[in-house]
Amino acid sequence: MRITIDRDRCIGSGQCVMTAPGVFTQDDDAVVALVPGHEDGAADPRVHDVPLVCPVQAVAIFED
Amino acid sequence: MTEAEIRLSRASASFPQDRTCPYQPPRAYAQWRGESPLTKVTLFDGRPAWLVTGHAEGRALLVDPRLSSDWGHPVFPVVVQRTEGRGGLAFPLIGVDDPLHARQRRMLIPSFGVKRMNAIRPRLQSLVDKLLDDMLAKGPVADLVSAFALPVPSMAICELLGVPYGDHDFFEECSRNFVGAATSAEADAAFAELCTYLHGLVVKKRAEPADGLLDELIARQLAEGHLDHDEVVMIALVLLVAGHETTVNAIALGALTLVQHPEQIEVLLRDPAAVSGVVEELLRFTSVSDYIVRMAKEDIEVGGETIKAGDAVLVSISLMNRDARAYENPDVFDARRNARHHVGFGHGIHQCLGQNLARAELEIALGTLFARIPGLRLAVPLEEVPIKAGHDAQGPIELPVTW
Ligand code: SF4
């Protein structure tokens, strides 16, 4: 699995963090970031729900 | 009726309409459900508008940059008569498009980030405990709106912004009149009073900085020339009003829905971790903000129809949240359901900025309310609970409860 985030698109809603806190976090500006070491998404099974809950489609998941 | 007559009668249905049950979409909206994701309605001034009722279609439209939120546009739709005279006033955040919207939102999101919201939870908890102590000490019957549902978000938003809570009677009334007045003259008067108050507050804060979001805006954005004085005042106004007119309804409607489904209060009581799922389902089921207003900037094809440039588009939050293609048995309140993709906070770039504050408030307020008063119930029949008009944030005006 590969996760991409578009930090320019992100509106800081935090839905990714609320849904899969093992993989997503917010930086000091409340913009989306991936949790270091967990960029592959394996740390949280709910990662698959994130593209659905992100209000601006800033998160994409590509299954290999 | 022939098909043509049905189409005509649909086209003439007026929007919005009032709810009869406080947590169900207005009865008349049933005619639009389960068929086309898009239908035609008429606004109070006779203007036709598209009403989007499908969950998938609504979400796609709310991220579509061809729909505009620019209240300043000369033909931006007016849904409520009292705002008729306010054309041209593009409120920060809610009444503007990108890139201006993105610039304003970026300034504010750090104050509403997940970490900040988690950090204020202990403070919210002590506030909720104190309000319940007072309510219990006075004994039943209580009005859950004035004793609990209103002071929680009011105190929370004041603290976050750095607005003195001591003035709350004044700006709660202004806020109520601004969004819920009968006439535009009353609404404009409340708006002017709020502006004057917040102008004075910003002047004072510039001289004597304190802690709070407004102080931070002044110290960073105003001092560095990214915002001017009037913009800070308008941002303060939008956040203060939004903080007052939304979560109060969500807490009151949430409590009401739960007392009407007592078997589901169990879900809340058995497992404190379940509270966040219960809150999401309440947000889906009650749809406090019933609809979102947009205007098409270009032609858009949806569900076999063409929305033309300049058309009014109303996105029905309550019907999207009750779309059977998105939720099984959508009219059933099921506290165990996974309702996370509801659109109770909207969708797209304008999705509610304060949503995680609202979630923290709802989880703590409702979780604590039922943990402490598991036998809470209505003190009057449901039909006698006075509710707000269809164009307001939906919710009870008063909620008499006993225990
Ligand atoms: S859900 Fe989307 S918009 Fe919200 S913080 Fe995450 S990436 Fe940003």
Side-chain angles (χ1 to χ4, degrees), chain B residues 132 136 255 258-259 261-266 268-270 366-378 402-403:
Chain B
L132 288 178
L136 285 165
L258 283 162
V259 300
H261 299 79
E263 72 292 348
Q264 307 222 25
I265 295 174
E266 280 296 301
L268 206 66
L269 296 181
R270 218 177 308 130
L366 293 173
T368 312
L369 176 67
F370 287 98
R372 291 191 61 182
I373 323 178
L376 190 81
R377 58 188 190 279
L378 274 184
T402 188
W403 55 89

Side-chain angles (χ1 to χ4, degrees), chain B residues 49-78:
Chain B
W50 295 103
L51 183 74
V52 185
T53 61
H55 187 267
E57 294 79 5
R59 280 169 52 112
L61 281 168
L62 287 171
V63 296
D64 194 321
R66 291 174 294 179
L67 281 188
S68 168
S69 284
D70 181 5
W71 294 12
H73 193 285
V75 296
F76 195 82
V78 178

Side-chain angles (χ1 to χ4, degrees), chain A residues 7 10-11 13 26 52 55, chain B residues 59 105-106 114-115 348 356:
Chain A
R7 288 172 44 89
C10 171
I11 56 159
S13 72
Q26 286 180 328
L52 191 70
Chain B
R59 280 169 52 112
R105 183 152 181 144
R106 286 265 163 160
V114 175
K115 287 176 206 154
N356 293 321

